[in-house]
């Protein structure tokens, strides 16, 4: 495991690859939030009934 | 393509975490929900029809403007038993997937900023922040509810939940990301914000709609449920930390590290880290 050194500065050489990776991580996080909304918050009665027990157990406001 | 790897790694972690969760919930929490639903049908001011038709489609006790949602049309709800357990498992897997994607994003940013932590400790550390943000902090203001309890309007409670979770997450970000000694003050300010705003509560007793004996039982069940959800959430975040740490190490870290290394000014060669 080659632990990376602590310098957090990045030079503009191959930063575009880094930026693309960070963007994809952000896209993943955004997808995660959309899914969380669907499982835990969406008001559709179908979604509510299907995920009902999970909403209660994960302490989301349910009804 | 990192995104594809994120999805597969997230799904792998989610199936493990969601399945473990379904087991833990079935043991710790679902019996309490089912017991409370027996009483839910006895609620005095509850509109009779939907409750009689399907015990776990909830009558809206207090929030009157929601009557249109649950009143007229017949709504599908999973039948008790295997069908309900299947949908609970599905929801658990999707919930775990959503959290895994957030955890991976945070771990990835930590790696980009040059963390020296190995994947498993890093995953567990992020999971601690996740538990604080997504369970503990919102639950301090809005306790776990069993079916049948009255509460403030759903939308306002959901809004406060998002505020509490977001503030706690920003507090963690301040602590992890800022170098200034003021970061502690920033974290405290973020943590205080949702409680300065105040969680929405009703003034009446949440169990006012029940007769004496049922009320006593439900109060007991409600107290048990708060503890049950605490254990369940701890097990969720512990397994999420472990599963995401392992999946990150296996499928994401090598590719991410190689990309970030190449962007670094000085050598620190990324030997053997090609995907």
């Amino acid at each position: 495991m080659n632990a990376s050194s602590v310098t957090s500065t990045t030079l503009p050489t191959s930063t575009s690859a880094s930026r693309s990776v960070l963007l994809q991580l952000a896209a993943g996080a955004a997808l995660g939030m959309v899914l969380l909304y669907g499982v835990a918050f969406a008001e559709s009665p179908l979604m509510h009934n299907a995920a009902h027990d999970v909403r209660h157990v994960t302490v989301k406001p349910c009804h | 393509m990192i995104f594809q790897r994120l999805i597969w790694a997230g799904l792998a972690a989610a199936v493990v975490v969601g399945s473990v969760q379904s087991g833990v919930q079935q043991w710790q929490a679902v019996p309490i929900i089912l017991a409370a639903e027996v009483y839910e049908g006895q609620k005095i001011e509850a509109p009779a029809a939907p409750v009689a038709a399907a015990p776990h489609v909830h009558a809206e006790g207090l929030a009157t403007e929601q009557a249109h949602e649950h009143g007229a049309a017949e709504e599908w709800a999973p039948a008790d038993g295997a069908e309900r357990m299947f949908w609970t498992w599905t929801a658990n897997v999707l919930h775990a997937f959503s959290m895994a994607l957030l955890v991976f994003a945070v771990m990835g940013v930590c790696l980009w900023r040059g963390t020296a932590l190995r994947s498993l400790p890093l995953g567990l550390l992020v999971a601690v922040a996740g538990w604080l943000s997504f369970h503990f902090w919102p639950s301090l203001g809005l306790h776990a509810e069993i079916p049948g309890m009255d509460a403030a309007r759903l939308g306002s409670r959901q809004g406060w939940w998002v505020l509490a979770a977001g503030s706690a997450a920003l507090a963690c970000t301040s602590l992890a990301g800022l170098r200034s000694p003021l970061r502690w003050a920033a974290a405290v300010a973020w943590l205080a914000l949702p409680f300065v705003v105040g969680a929405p509560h009703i003034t009446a007793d949440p169990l006012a709609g029940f007769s004496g004996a049922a009320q006593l039982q439900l109060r007991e069940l409600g107290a048990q449920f708060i503890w049950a959800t605490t254990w369940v959430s701890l097990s969720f975040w512990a397994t999420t930390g472990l599963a995401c740490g392992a999946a990150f190490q296996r499928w994401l870290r090598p590719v991410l590290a190689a990309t970030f290394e190449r962007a670094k000014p000085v050598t620190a060669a990324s030997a053997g880290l090609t995907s």
Side-chain angles (χ1 to χ4, degrees):
Chain A
M1 169 124 329
N2 52 352
S4 35
S5 66
V6 193
T7 37
S8 60
T9 44
T10 48
L11 287 185
T13 41
S14 65
T15 44
S16 72
S18 285
R19 193 173 304 133
S20 153
V21 163
L22 290 171
L23 269 177
Q24 292 177 62
L25 288 170
L31 174 63
M33 299 226 207
V34 171
L35 281 170
L36 178 66
Y37 172 79
V39 172
F41 293 99
E43 287 203 34
S44 136
L46 285 186
M47 309 269 264
H48 166 271
N49 292 346
H52 173 262
D53 293 1
V54 174
R55 290 184 181 194
H56 273 283
V57 173
T58 58
V59 198
K60 305 292 185 289
C62 189
H63 39 75
Chain B
M1 188 76 172
I2 300 287
F3 190 76
Q4 251 171 344
R5 280 173 175 262
L6 271 176
I7 299 296
W8 290 115
L11 278 176
V15 169
V16 173
V17 174
S19 303
V20 171
Q21 271 303 292
S22 295
V24 174
Q25 291 173 10
Q26 208 62 38
W27 163 49
Q28 282 283 319
V30 171
I32 302 176
I33 295 180
L34 295 178
E37 281 176 355
V38 173
Y39 294 101
E40 200 178 7
Q42 303 170 3
K43 204 167 180 176
I44 293 162
E45 5 131 285
V51 179
H56 56 270
V57 175
H58 305 287
E60 309 293 342
L62 202 86
T64 45
E65 94 277 15
Q66 290 171 1
H68 64 276
E69 265 178 48
H70 285 278
E74 185 157 316
E75 294 145 7
W76 171 86
D80 281 347
E83 192 179 337
R84 186 167 175 177
M85 278 155 82
F86 168 77
W87 284 107
T88 298
W89 177 82
T90 308
N92 268 321
V93 170
L94 285 175
H95 178 240
F97 184 41
S98 71
M99 291 299 115
L101 288 171
L102 292 180
V103 167
F104 287 151
V106 174
M107 291 177 81
V109 169
C110 291
L111 195 66
W112 174 61
R113 289 176 54 92
T115 181
L117 281 177
R118 291 188 298 139
S119 297
L120 221 49
L122 180 60
L124 287 168
L125 195 64
V126 175
V128 170
W131 181 76
L132 180 81
S133 306
F134 287 93
H135 178 80
F136 187 62
W137 217 243
S139 305
L140 277 185
L142 293 171
H143 298 316
E145 295 162 14
I146 50 173
M149 277 186 170
D150 287 332
R153 207 170 54 80
L154 179 64
S156 63
R157 283 181 297 140
Q158 289 183 329
W160 191 86
W161 191 97
V162 171
L163 174 72
S167 304
L170 283 169
C172 295
T173 312
S174 310
L175 280 186
L178 299 179
R179 292 281 171 264
S180 145
L182 278 177
R183 67 188 194 273
W184 289 97
V188 169
W190 279 120
L191 287 175
L193 174 67
F195 294 94
V196 173
V197 172
H201 286 291
I202 51 172
T203 47
D205 182 353
L207 294 171
F210 293 94
S211 64
Q215 212 178 69
L216 275 179
Q217 282 294 320
L218 285 169
R219 229 179 276 291
E220 173 66 26
L221 287 169
Q224 286 175 17
F225 197 61
I226 291 178
W227 284 108
T229 52
T230 306
W231 308 132
V232 168
S233 69
L234 283 170
S235 74
F236 175 85
W237 284 103
T239 39
T240 295
L242 290 173
C244 287
F248 188 81
Q249 176 66 26
R250 171 91 177 71
W251 289 298
L252 295 167
R253 188 163 191 145
V255 189
L256 292 178
T259 313
F260 295 148
E261 285 298 327
R262 260 184 269 122
K264 282 237 172 86
V266 206
T267 52
S270 51
L273 287 184
T274 41
S275 81

